[in-house]
Amino acid sequence: MDMAWTDLGVAIALVLVIEGVMPFLAPASLRRTLATMAAMPDRSLRVVGAVSMMLGLALLYFIR
């Protein structure tokens, strides 16, 4: 059971590192990207989110 909590902690830490790369390296590009996303319709954002989740699950399946 300890391994599961450790894996979860590592996964959350990696998400935070990856999420922080863009604001650190290119804050102006991030602002433009977020403004573009804010203008997108909800349906488009849901499709992008669903595709992203499916790709992440597929990658996780093949890695593990």
Side-chain angles (χ1 to χ4, degrees):
M1 189 72 164
D2 278 338
M3 186 62 159
W5 286 109
T6 301
D7 288 345
L8 180 62
V10 169
I12 291 171
L14 285 172
V15 167
L16 292 172
V17 169
I18 292 167
E19 288 284 328
V21 168
M22 202 54 184
F24 178 73
L25 293 178
S29 290
L30 178 65
R31 279 192 189 97
R32 283 191 305 273
T33 301
L34 292 175
T36 301
M37 288 178 66
M40 291 173 69
D42 288 349
R43 184 172 173 83
S44 296
L45 287 174
R46 283 192 176 103
V47 169
V48 169
V51 169
S52 177
M53 287 189 301
M54 286 186 267
L55 287 173
L57 285 172
L59 182 61
L60 184 61
Y61 174 78
F62 287 115
I63 289 173
R64 299 289 297 202

